[in-house]
Amino acid sequence: MKRTPAFYGLFSLVVLAALLFRVSGLELRPMHHDEANQAVKFGSLLEEGQYCYDPTQHHGPSLYYLTLPFAWIGSGTSFASLNEVILRLVPAVFGAGIILLLLLLKDGFSPPSLFFSGILAAVSPVMVYYSRFYIQETLLVFFLFGAIASGWRYLQERRWGWAAAAGFFSGMMFATKETCIILFAAAAVSLVLVRVLGGSPRSRENPGSKEKNAGRIPPVHLLVLAGTAIAVSILFFSSFFQNPRGILDSVLAFKTYFGRAAGAGFHTHPFPYYLKMLAFSHYGNGPVWSEALVLILALVGCAAVFANHSQSMSERLFLRFIFFFTVLATAIYSFIPYKTPWNILPFYIGIILLAGQGIVFLLSLSRKIIVQSLIILILGAGLYHLGLQSYRANFTYSTDPRNPYVYAQTSPDFIYLVQRVEDIARLHPEHKQMLIKVITHPDEAWPLPWYLRGFGKVGYWQEVEEAGPFSDVPLIISSTDKVDRLQLHLRDNYQSEYYGLRPEVLLALHIRKDLWDKFIDERTLK
Amino acid sequence: MCPRVQSSFLSISRSRPVILSRSSEGYYVELGPSVQWVQIDLGRPCSLNAVLIWHYHSQARVYRDVIVQVTDDPDFITDVQTIYNNDHDNSAGLGIGKDKEYIETNEGRLIDPRGVNGRYIRLYSRGNTSNEMNHYVEVEVYGALSK
């Protein structure tokens, strides 16, 4: 397979399939509390034009600023008319964009290898699942990939434009998630290892080449790279110079994130957490989940990196870089006690690249048609299984705890609570201006602020005693452990119901009796 | 006395009795989504003193529209007495109940039948706060043979 129009046609189909997988049914899964948190943060940027970087949470600003054009086109400037689909389109588009960026790796990977890597990235359950999640991870992977690909193009062509592009993507990585320093560290060490073990591509391939193409990088290009990266991150962290303090905060944030990495609490998981999740997961009577095919192919790809001598020297060095980077990033992420399943993405993209290389290596082992047909048949079955799992993960089991990528996910039952609130508001004279008191633990309040964004008077408290008088309050939402104390105030004047928020977490909804009776009367009449 | 158990859901055969036993802790019978019921045939009419229900005990969740009825009619058409009903919005279609929703615990839910008489006990539910399914770990019925 060469870079012919047919290759580009097939590759376009892969990107299209990836996009379809990522954008279909984005409204199906209720907003995760982390997504809701990001959405509400974005809401103030959308409506008031204000964004102020918070070094203690929410990560970097890029997600919010990149959501702006999607929101302007999809719903205008009103936060209330925004919806899940518009927000999730952002990671979905960038998720498919990762595959498009593969094309920049020409000369580093053969066209078949890029093609197979593209297919694996398009159907990988974990890649698809978190490309439909309004959090920073997919954007981080997109910018990471952009930085690596631009860096590679720079090394091939030595043009300052590619140095600037690498700087831009690196700056965007930092503006997306501060923890990108893990990836910078893995990339830097990988470059050193490649250099120590194999030299530079230009110096090996063109030992007699002139200064321009020699291994040494001109300092001005390094300045362009660093300058662009710094400029981009300053622009974003300072909210485009509206909040200069954000620049300093972006550095101070490391204290927060180092602390969080060490003392992870609920998010503490053992070293093999990520690889085990990818290799084999099975909960209760749910299906078996496995991306072992990709892992095995990546191992074959690793062997190919060192055993296959049919590639050019530059290809070999680039593959070695990807190999070292993937191994180091996987090890570092696995070593850090703080783990969330979406942190798989930054190193898994390396695994996918190696897997694509592994497929090409396997197919090159024998020229016999029957052997190649057998390999293609097995790969086809494996890809079908990955696609099937992806479908299940994103449509059938998108909120089911038996899906390994479902992590503290908001229960579909929570949507019934929102519907009930909407139903009662319809019957209240003030409609969405009726007062709602929310008395919950802080971690049990989300994603309420997102779902109640259209309501004008919503107050949040942590304790019953802090919430003021309850007489005439139409609706109260509370944590379950606050129900007994609330009951002393509410007596028989309220109808209470329970709704699932997350596994093991319930919320109680208390509806004033006159509104409840009105609701039942209306329902009976229907 | 060996009670016979039936249910509204096909996964429990109507013709094959299922014995609910305490030794089966950690296991549960799962019925599909929407309103489902299990029915216990005590063999003879009894005066009931207590009904204890465990829908689930390994997770905090609330089962919706828990309704318990008693009668001598195996088809639950005549002389049906409701001893518990927390379907406050009549979503199960069996009438509005005044009992309160409750969170499942390992202690189960004790229902006082106030001495009603009947041979058949039917327990309804309509999904729960974690998923749409209906579950039963155990049901205990206490009473004495009617004179």
Side-chain angles (χ1 to χ4, degrees):
Chain A
M1 189 186 288
K2 292 186 175 169
R3 285 178 173 271
T4 59
F7 166 77
Y8 286 109
L10 281 173
F11 201 86
S12 304
L13 285 178
V14 173
V15 176
L16 194 66
L19 195 61
L20 280 176
F21 232 153
R22 284 155 174 77
V23 302
S24 305
L26 284 174
E27 74 289 352
L28 291 176
R29 187 172 49 77
M31 289 285 266
H32 187 277
H33 60 272
D34 281 345
E35 291 181 285
N37 218 296
Q38 306 291 4
V40 171
K41 184 91 175 161
F42 168 69
S44 57
L45 175 64
L46 179 69
E47 286 201 328
E48 298 150 32
Q50 284 182 358
Y51 168 79
C52 190
Y53 174 68
D54 181 348
T56 61
Q57 54 188 335
H58 299 298
H59 295 300
S62 71
L63 178 67
Y64 315 115
Y65 283 102
L66 291 171
T67 307
L68 278 174
F70 288 82
W72 287 333
I73 295 167
S75 63
T77 55
S78 158
F79 180 49
S81 50
L82 196 62
N83 60 47
E84 292 88 336
V85 175
I86 295 168
L87 292 173
R88 288 171 176 162
L89 272 175
V90 182
V93 167
F94 278 89
I98 294 168
I99 299 167
L100 210 55
L101 283 179
L102 281 169
L103 292 175
L104 287 179
L105 297 184
K106 64 177 181 180
D107 309 328
F109 280 81
S110 64
S113 173
L114 292 179
F115 179 71
F116 290 126
S117 296
I119 293 178
L120 290 174
V123 299
S124 155
V126 68
M127 293 294 285
V128 178
Y129 192 81
Y130 290 116
S131 290
R132 300 160 59 89
F133 227 83
Y134 187 65
I135 53 173
Q136 281 86 355
E137 248 59 32
T138 310
L139 271 65
L140 176 65
V141 177
F142 178 87
F143 295 129
L144 162 71
F145 209 86
I148 291 175
S150 305
W152 170 247
R153 295 256 42 89
Y154 171 78
L155 289 174
Q156 292 299 295
E157 299 175 23
R158 298 297 163 105
R159 291 185 184 162
W160 71 267
W162 285 118
F168 168 79
F169 283 118
S170 302
M172 289 304 289
M173 280 173 71
F174 187 48
T176 301
K177 210 170 172 190
E178 308 82 343
T179 51
C180 66
I181 55 158
I182 295 169
L183 302 166
F184 288 147
V189 175
S190 302
L191 278 174
V192 171
L193 286 171
V194 169
R195 182 84 185 180
V196 169
L197 296 174
S200 87
R202 286 290 175 191
S203 60
R204 284 290 185 94
E205 280 185 346
N206 306 303
S209 65
K210 291 184 178 173
E211 179 98 357
K212 185 187 172 192
N213 287 335
R216 189 180 292 269
I217 295 171
V220 68
H221 287 178
L222 281 177
L223 276 175
V224 167
L225 188 150
T228 313
I230 292 167
V232 165
S233 60
I234 283 176
L235 268 180
F236 277 90
F237 279 108
S238 69
S239 311
F240 292 84
F241 304 118
Q242 287 179 15
N243 173 38
R245 165 80 197 187
I247 302 163
L248 176 64
D249 283 341
S250 70
V251 180
L252 296 176
F254 287 118
K255 191 183 167 193
T256 305
Y257 290 104
F258 277 124
R260 198 170 291 170
F266 172 77
H267 300 289
T268 302
H269 296 288
F271 183 87
Y273 175 75
Y274 295 127
L275 290 176
K276 189 171 169 288
M277 182 180 285
L278 288 167
F280 182 86
S281 300
H282 186 220
Y283 301 102
N285 56 356
V288 169
W289 306 84
S290 175
E291 299 199 34
L293 173 75
V294 183
L295 298 180
I296 292 165
L297 288 170
L299 285 176
V300 176
C302 292
V305 167
F306 292 98
N308 190 356
H309 296 291
S310 64
Q311 306 130 333
S312 69
M313 175 56 83
S314 61
E315 277 179 322
R316 215 176 305 159
L317 292 178
F318 184 59
L319 284 170
R320 284 181 189 178
F321 169 79
I322 296 294
F323 165 78
F324 287 127
F325 172 79
T326 306
V327 170
L328 284 169
T330 307
I332 297 170
Y333 273 104
S334 298
F335 181 74
I336 295 169
Y338 183 99
K339 293 185 179 73
T340 51
W342 43 82
N343 278 330
I344 285 175
L345 265 56
F347 63 84
Y348 195 54
I349 192 66
I351 291 177
I352 284 175
L353 281 173
L354 290 169
Q357 192 64 26
I359 294 175
V360 175
F361 183 64
L362 278 178
L363 290 171
S364 70
L365 287 178
S366 170
R367 289 185 180 276
K368 288 183 180 170
I369 295 290
I370 189 155
V371 176
Q372 291 201 336
S373 302
L374 196 67
I375 292 170
I376 288 171
L377 203 69
I378 293 168
L379 286 174
L383 284 173
Y384 171 77
H385 185 234
L386 282 175
L388 180 69
Q389 289 183 81
S390 217
Y391 179 82
R392 282 179 180 154
N394 291 289
F395 300 100
T396 322
Y397 291 84
S398 66
T399 60
D400 195 313
R402 292 170 296 180
N403 173 351
Y405 307 124
V406 167
Y407 192 73
Q409 167 64 40
T410 306
S411 164
D413 197 58
F414 175 79
I415 300 301
Y416 295 128
L417 180 149
V418 178
Q419 279 172 5
R420 191 72 103 204
V421 173
E422 299 267 356
D423 286 342
I424 299 298
R426 211 166 21 79
L427 300 170
H428 192 278
E430 295 178 42
H431 301 298
K432 289 199 167 182
Q433 291 304 312
M434 72 175 184
L435 177 62
I436 301 174
K437 290 194 172 185
V438 180
I439 307 159
T440 63
H441 302 285
D443 59 335
E444 293 179 9
W446 292 95
L448 276 169
W450 162 256
Y451 282 101
L452 300 182
R453 66 193 180 284
F455 287 82
K457 294 179 191 166
V458 185
Y460 294 86
W461 294 269
Q462 292 185 33
E463 297 299 335
V464 173
E465 291 71 23
E466 295 167 356
F470 292 102
S471 56
D472 291 340
V473 177
L475 275 182
I476 301 156
I477 299 170
S478 77
S479 296
T480 53
D481 64 346
K482 304 196 186 295
V483 169
D484 287 346
R485 264 183 298 155
L486 252 179
Q487 214 57 50
L488 298 173
H489 300 270
L490 307 183
R491 295 194 180 87
D492 290 333
N493 301 324
Y494 284 77
Q495 174 68 49
S496 299
E497 321 181 282
Y498 288 105
Y499 291 92
L501 174 64
R502 293 190 289 274
E504 298 285 356
V505 185
L506 302 169
L507 286 178
L509 175 66
H510 313 276
I511 304 161
R512 208 174 63 204
K513 209 75 174 181
D514 60 313
L515 287 166
W516 176 256
D517 291 342
K518 214 170 165 183
F519 170 70
I520 291 294
D521 287 347
E522 189 200 60
R523 203 171 177 175
T524 311
L525 283 173
K526 278 182 185 172
Chain B
M1 191 160 57
C2 177
R4 288 170 61 87
V5 180
Q6 294 181 331
S7 98
S8 57
F9 197 64
L10 292 174
S11 66
I12 298 179
S13 163
R14 283 169 184 266
S15 57
R16 276 178 57 193
V18 176
I19 308 299
L20 299 180
S21 157
R22 268 207 154 169
S23 63
S24 65
E25 188 163 321
Y27 295 85
Y28 52 80
V29 173
E30 185 171 69
L31 310 178
S34 76
V35 180
Q36 301 288 350
W37 51 261
V38 294
Q39 183 172 317
I40 301 165
D41 176 3
L42 299 173
R44 290 173 64 181
C46 296
S47 168
L48 304 183
N49 297 324
V51 177
L52 258 165
I53 310 168
W54 286 261
H55 283 108
Y56 209 78
H57 57 67
S58 60
Q59 187 185 63
R61 51 170 72 169
V62 171
Y63 281 79
R64 298 238 157 78
D65 303 350
V66 175
I67 302 167
V68 184
Q69 295 182 331
V70 181
T71 180
D72 283 332
D73 176 5
D75 297 321
F76 277 75
I77 296 170
T78 56
D79 298 329
V80 178
Q81 299 180 78
T82 300
I83 60 170
Y84 190 89
N85 183 351
N86 68 12
D87 178 11
H88 53 279
D89 59 358
N90 197 26
S91 43
L94 296 170
I96 290 178
K98 296 287 181 195
D99 295 298
K100 290 188 175 176
E101 287 187 332
Y102 62 92
I103 300 170
E104 294 286 331
T105 69
N106 61 341
E107 293 179 346
R109 183 69 170 182
L110 175 65
I111 291 168
D112 179 8
R114 296 177 291 274
V116 299
N117 284 287
R119 173 177 167 176
Y120 301 97
I121 301 161
R122 192 178 272 191
L123 303 101
Y124 293 86
S125 60
R126 186 181 57 86
N128 66 86
T129 49
S130 289
N131 54 56
E132 295 179 324
M133 309 303 266
N134 297 276
H135 304 100
Y136 289 89
V137 173
E138 185 171 337
V139 178
E140 292 179 5
V141 181
Y142 294 88
L145 290 174
S146 297
K147 289 175 184 170

